[in-house]
Amino acid sequence: MEVTTTEKMLLDRFGGSPLLSTQQVAEILHRSPEGLRITMSGNTDVAQLLRSCKLKIGRRVYFRVSSIAQLIDEA
């Protein structure tokens, strides 16, 4: 799988981790973490795209860098 420029930028910015926290994704999208949660709870196209990027590990919610980069590139 090829790494896009956006994906590389996100990996460099957040220490190379393949997963991003809600706080980090909110920062990328210029929203508050609570605003991001509210957006994801809706029934919009953006909410559905964000939910598809989500990964739960225990009680914590993470997002795949590759999916977030693809979402940004296709916007």
Side-chain angles (χ1 to χ4, degrees):
M1 189 162 127
E2 186 178 324
V3 176
T4 65
T5 305
T6 306
E7 184 175 354
K8 182 173 178 0
M9 188 255 333
L10 292 174
L11 289 169
D12 291 344
R13 181 174 177 186
F14 295 105
S17 173
L19 298 175
L20 298 171
S21 68
T22 302
Q23 176 72 35
Q24 291 168 323
V25 174
E27 183 182 324
I28 291 166
L29 299 177
H30 301 286
R31 301 183 65 83
S32 67
E34 188 59 30
L36 180 63
R37 287 185 196 96
I38 290 169
T39 299
M40 288 177 43
S41 69
N43 192 22
T44 64
D45 292 340
V46 172
Q48 291 173 357
L49 291 170
L50 284 169
R51 284 194 299 263
S52 71
C53 302
K54 186 172 72 169
L55 173 70
K56 284 189 83 170
I57 299 176
R59 293 173 47 186
R60 298 182 187 260
V61 176
Y62 294 99
F63 297 84
R64 294 174 186 88
V65 170
S66 58
S67 299
I68 294 296
Q70 182 180 0
L71 184 134
I72 292 169
D73 288 341
E74 291 177 355

